[in-house]
Amino acid sequence: MTSFTEENYLKIIYMLTEQNGGSEVSTNELAEHTQTKAASVSDMLRKLAEKNLINYRKYQGVTLTKEGQHIALSVIRKHRLWEVFLVEKLGFGWDEIHDIAEQLEHIDSKELTEKLDKFLGNPQFDPHGDPIPDAKGKMPSMSSHKLSEIAVDQTVVMVGVTVHSPAFLQHLDKNNITLGCSIRIQEVSEFDKSFTIILNNTQSVFVSNEVAKNLLVK
Amino acid sequence: MTSFTEENYLKIIYMLTEQNGGSEVSTNELAEHTQTKAASVSDMLRKLAEKNLINYRKYQGVTLTKEGQHIALSVIRKHRLWEVFLVEKLGFGWDEIHDIAEQLEHIDSKELTEKLDKFLGNPQFDPHGDPIPDAKGKMPSMSSHKLSEIAVDQTVVMVGVTVHSPAFLQHLDKNNITLGCSIRIQEVSEFDKSFTIILNNTQSVFVSNEVAKNLLVK
DNA sequence: ATTAATTTTTAGGTTTGTCTAAAAATTTGA
DNA sequence: TCAAATTTTTAGACAAACCTAAAAATTAAT
């Protein structure tokens, strides 16, 4: 059996490994993301290694084993499916759902997950544009770019965000930037790399470079 | 804060108090229902009493305080709302939902509970006919009788069950006895108090007294 | 009304997941 | 390259929720 806490570690290791481009995750990195101390992380890593859920060489950081990856993907699948439910069915905003999904992701019932998936119409992406792994752990793929890397006059579609903080998401709401909206780049400032964009062919909106770096488009 | 485990104790105390007609719940009773030993229950009762969630006089059993009752009702509300969701929206059978709802009832978000309630159309009763308390803890009332106490030739409506075991519920399914169906009592056996009933004015079905005692009708 | 049986509580331990402080290993940089 | 800084691990403790065994209180029965 895998406890609530163990599942959280595996999920975080998975996500940080992705962010690191596949290389080992360090103890300190994990301590930050689990809101605990490095000593506690060391304890847990020893335990997860004993259960063969992670590859652990002391002082060298960790990666997930096949089995650890499988559990992590199942937790991520549940998290993202519940986020779709919260937004599509219950009417939550995309800035309100993270903490609730953090709880729901640990509900243990394969039948529930699969019925929920079907009820939601087998969505491929969650309300932030993150891919939802299927029951076998396969991620739908989608090539995307940061808005900050797109050239003037191009027209693209908003497909995701790389930051999920309520403050960032609310900022996008305030500027009518939503998943699926069309974006034409009207102007990029030489000075601060900020963007002036045309939203849905109608509205002109100002986007700082800080924001543009965290918007994924296609 | 109230832990998962504490919430479970409060919920079970609430239900056993109801069953006992309002009188104190004993340590042994709680041990049975929490699947733990009496010694563990004693520990927890001391703790819950310290938090003013129960009235506890050593050796005399316990009742809930106002605050304890409030938490218990909130857990029961969530349990029953999620059961409605599982059956009405996801297509689970009424015999499959208990264990999943036992997990979902501890998800901590008032906004979620209220949006779920609205999404489900503010249901008053769950798929077993149990009343769903409102956000303030008020139970909808419904007078009902055991089928075993109804006289020959009467026609009634099935409104609930007093046992939730999968075996019992599956037995009802097999005999087409569902919530809301109409039941006319054709015959009651002198010998074993078993019933022959007419379901929905069409089908004749045999019902043992053991089953009739656990069917609520109106 | 005592003794016997039952129930409940206390005492002392275990496991899980956390902590602080200190020791050990690794990395940095002069 | 080797000493200083940083990171990681170990050691020893703690709280929550459970356990077993034994003591204390209550209830039942002769």
Side-chain angles (χ1 to χ4, degrees):
Chain A
M1 262 305 72
T2 326
S3 72
F4 187 103
T5 311
E6 288 167 346
E7 282 189 0
N8 263 328
Y9 270 89
L10 295 174
K11 181 189 65 172
I12 293 169
I13 293 168
Y14 181 94
M15 291 183 162
L16 292 177
T17 308
E18 278 226 314
Q19 267 183 40
N20 292 353
S23 70
E24 285 85 3
V25 178
S26 76
T27 301
N28 263 357
E29 254 182 303
L30 282 170
E32 270 175 52
H33 285 83
T34 53
Q35 330 254 52
T36 63
K37 297 300 158 72
S40 311
V41 173
S42 272
D43 278 356
M44 182 55 85
L45 294 182
R46 190 178 32 64
K47 192 172 141 198
L48 292 173
E50 256 164 38
K51 291 193 176 191
N52 287 309
L53 299 175
I54 61 173
N55 305 114
Y56 177 39
R57 307 192 328 273
K58 278 180 192 173
Y59 296 98
Q60 302 307 131
V62 298
T63 57
L64 294 174
T65 61
K66 263 274 150 52
E67 203 189 332
Q69 208 164 71
H70 185 258
I71 295 171
L73 283 164
S74 144
V75 174
I76 290 168
R77 171 170 168 74
K78 287 185 281 180
H79 183 103
R80 293 180 181 169
L81 285 174
W82 281 115
E83 286 200 337
V84 173
F85 171 73
L86 294 171
V87 169
E88 298 295 317
K89 301 295 181 178
L90 297 195
F92 277 98
W94 64 348
D95 57 317
E96 306 174 309
I97 56 183
H98 187 264
D99 292 350
I100 302 175
E102 287 284 301
Q103 299 180 63
L104 288 164
E105 73 188 6
H106 301 288
I107 301 293
D108 178 30
S109 164
K110 280 210 174 56
E111 302 77 44
L112 173 58
T113 308
E114 297 325 308
K115 284 193 196 254
L116 179 64
D117 185 35
K118 196 173 162 199
F119 177 63
L120 298 172
N122 310 108
Q124 306 265 317
F125 300 93
D126 78 12
H128 306 110
D130 295 317
I132 301 175
D134 71 17
K136 287 170 190 150
K138 183 150 188 292
M139 284 283 193
S141 65
M142 185 178 50
S143 58
S144 65
H145 306 273
K146 294 177 182 167
L147 175 62
S148 56
E149 291 162 354
I150 307 294
V152 172
D153 275 348
Q154 298 262 104
T155 299
V156 292
V157 177
M158 211 295 244
V159 297
V161 293
T162 54
V163 157
H164 295 66
S165 74
F168 177 62
L169 298 172
Q170 283 158 20
H171 176 81
L172 296 183
D173 279 342
K174 214 172 300 176
N175 289 280
N176 290 318
I177 300 171
T178 59
L179 221 64
C181 73
S182 104
I183 294 177
R184 193 171 91 242
I185 297 169
Q186 195 174 37
E187 200 191 326
V188 180
S189 153
E190 277 292 316
F191 175 62
D192 64 1
K193 309 283 187 219
S194 68
F195 286 61
T196 307
I197 64 177
I198 307 289
L199 267 187
N200 296 315
N201 284 314
T202 53
Q203 189 186 170
S204 178
V205 171
F206 172 82
V207 175
S208 72
N209 182 262
E210 191 53 36
V211 166
K213 280 194 295 189
N214 292 307
L215 280 179
L216 295 175
V217 299
K218 193 176 65 169
Chain B
M1 262 306 76
T2 327
S3 73
F4 187 103
T5 311
E6 289 167 345
E7 283 190 358
N8 264 328
Y9 271 88
L10 296 174
K11 180 188 63 172
I12 293 170
I13 294 168
Y14 181 93
M15 291 183 161
L16 293 176
T17 307
E18 279 228 314
Q19 267 181 41
N20 293 352
S23 71
E24 284 85 5
V25 179
S26 76
T27 301
N28 264 357
E29 256 182 302
L30 282 170
E32 271 173 52
H33 285 82
T34 53
Q35 331 255 52
T36 64
K37 296 301 158 74
S40 311
V41 173
S42 272
D43 276 357
M44 182 55 86
L45 294 183
R46 191 179 30 66
K47 194 173 141 197
L48 291 173
E50 257 165 38
K51 291 192 175 191
N52 287 310
L53 300 174
I54 60 173
N55 304 114
Y56 177 38
R57 308 194 326 274
K58 279 181 194 173
Y59 297 97
Q60 303 306 133
V62 298
T63 57
L64 293 175
T65 62
K66 262 273 151 52
E67 203 189 334
Q69 208 164 70
H70 185 257
I71 295 171
L73 282 164
S74 144
V75 174
I76 290 167
R77 170 169 168 77
K78 288 185 280 178
H79 182 103
R80 293 181 180 168
L81 284 174
W82 281 115
E83 286 199 339
V84 174
F85 172 71
L86 294 171
V87 169
E88 298 295 316
K89 301 295 181 179
L90 297 195
F92 277 97
W94 65 349
D95 57 318
E96 306 175 308
I97 56 183
H98 188 264
D99 292 351
I100 302 175
E102 287 284 299
Q103 298 180 62
L104 288 164
E105 73 189 8
H106 301 288
I107 301 293
D108 177 31
S109 163
K110 281 210 175 54
E111 303 78 44
L112 173 58
T113 308
E114 298 324 308
K115 284 194 194 249
L116 178 64
D117 185 36
K118 195 172 164 199
F119 176 62
L120 298 172
N122 310 108
Q124 305 264 324
F125 298 93
D126 78 12
H128 306 111
D130 295 318
I132 302 174
D134 71 16
K136 285 170 192 150
K138 181 148 190 295
M139 285 281 193
S141 67
M142 185 179 49
S143 58
S144 65
H145 305 272
K146 294 177 182 169
L147 176 61
S148 56
E149 291 162 354
I150 307 295
V152 172
D153 275 345
Q154 300 262 107
T155 299
V156 292
V157 177
M158 212 294 246
V159 296
V161 294
T162 55
V163 158
H164 297 65
S165 74
F168 177 63
L169 299 172
Q170 284 158 21
H171 175 80
L172 297 183
D173 280 341
K174 216 174 297 174
N175 289 280
N176 291 318
I177 300 171
T178 59
L179 221 65
C181 72
S182 102
I183 294 178
R184 195 173 88 241
I185 298 168
Q186 196 174 37
E187 199 192 328
V188 181
S189 155
E190 278 290 317
F191 174 63
D192 65 0
K193 310 281 188 221
S194 67
F195 286 61
T196 308
I197 63 177
I198 308 289
L199 267 187
N200 295 316
N201 283 316
T202 52
Q203 191 186 167
S204 178
V205 171
F206 171 83
V207 176
S208 72
N209 183 263
E210 191 53 36
V211 166
K213 280 194 296 189
N214 292 307
L215 281 179
L216 295 176
V217 298
K218 193 177 63 170

